[in-house]
Amino acid sequence: MSFIQESNYNSIGAIVIGKSIEPSRNSIIINRGKVDGIKIGYPVISDSGVLVGKIIRVEEKISIVELINDQQSKVAATVMNNERSIGIVEGGYGLSIQMNFIPQNEFIPTGETIVTSGLEKNIPYGLLIGTVEAVEKEAYQPFQRAIISPIINLERIKIVSVLINTEIVLW
């Protein structure tokens, strides 16, 4: 059973029909757009619930997805350690991803899972991002950084799902 079937999120399946040719960007084009209810900021996931990226542009029948390893990508995230440390996962020129702004005093073990924190509009808690590969700490700095290994190969994505209407209404 896939993540979509197990969760209560509404989603729209999409096929990857293109990839950015800009060397400084890492994005894909999917075959869903405004006519399908897609909006900027919606999360895009694999069938196993792994965050692939976010919608950054929507046209009538296509959308552009900024992958999580794009240099412009930023996602609010949580380390699944005892402290449930929070930070921002940022891309690095399509080559890597890292989690920044983790408080220096919190223990981040290698191999720990990183998920979305739910602290960002349209991005629900618990979407898988990756695992901690290494931790970089510098003395006298308020924050530490975790180098993250993505769970899936972002270069080989063919089919995705766009989560829609994920906002929680509290009234």
Side-chain angles (χ1 to χ4, degrees):
M1 190 178 279
S2 76
F3 174 82
I4 296 295
Q5 292 171 321
E6 292 176 4
S7 72
N8 292 325
Y9 299 122
N10 293 323
S11 67
I12 297 172
I15 297 171
V16 176
I17 58 171
K19 185 169 174 34
S20 171
I21 58 170
E22 293 179 53
S24 64
R25 298 302 315 248
N26 202 19
S27 59
I28 56 175
I29 303 166
I30 59 172
N31 69 337
R32 300 291 185 175
K34 287 180 187 172
V35 297
D36 303 295
I38 304 294
K39 294 183 181 173
I40 290 174
Y42 280 177
V44 178
I45 64 168
S46 71
D47 66 344
S48 54
V50 177
L51 182 67
V52 169
K54 293 189 272 189
I55 301 290
I56 59 167
R57 189 166 139 206
V58 182
E59 294 183 10
E60 205 62 26
K61 295 184 179 181
I62 65 166
S63 297
I64 298 182
V65 179
E66 177 182 75
L67 298 178
I68 60 170
N69 62 350
D70 182 275
Q71 68 179 5
Q72 301 292 316
S73 175
K74 292 177 181 23
V75 178
T78 298
V79 181
M80 298 306 290
N81 59 352
N82 289 338
E83 292 93 354
R84 295 295 192 250
S85 303
I86 60 172
I88 305 291
V89 170
E90 300 181 61
Y93 297 96
L95 303 173
S96 66
I97 57 176
Q98 58 190 15
M99 185 167 170
N100 296 315
F101 305 111
I102 304 168
Q104 186 75 277
N105 62 334
E106 296 181 5
F107 177 66
I108 312 297
T110 57
E112 198 65 74
T113 302
I114 308 289
V115 299
T116 54
S117 67
L119 299 174
E120 184 176 347
K121 183 178 180 182
N122 295 321
I123 311 287
Y125 172 81
L127 299 178
L128 293 171
I129 295 174
T131 57
V132 176
E133 194 172 288
V135 177
E136 297 176 351
K137 286 182 141 190
E138 294 181 31
Y140 309 108
Q141 293 296 320
F143 300 106
Q144 58 186 315
R145 170 186 309 136
I147 306 303
I148 300 172
S149 177
I151 291 179
I152 61 171
N153 184 343
L154 296 168
E155 297 296 319
R156 299 185 186 268
I157 299 167
K158 304 277 188 253
I159 297 174
V160 296
S161 293
V162 181
L163 298 185
I164 59 173
N165 302 326
T166 57
E167 288 186 62
I168 298 171
V169 178
L170 299 174
W171 40 279

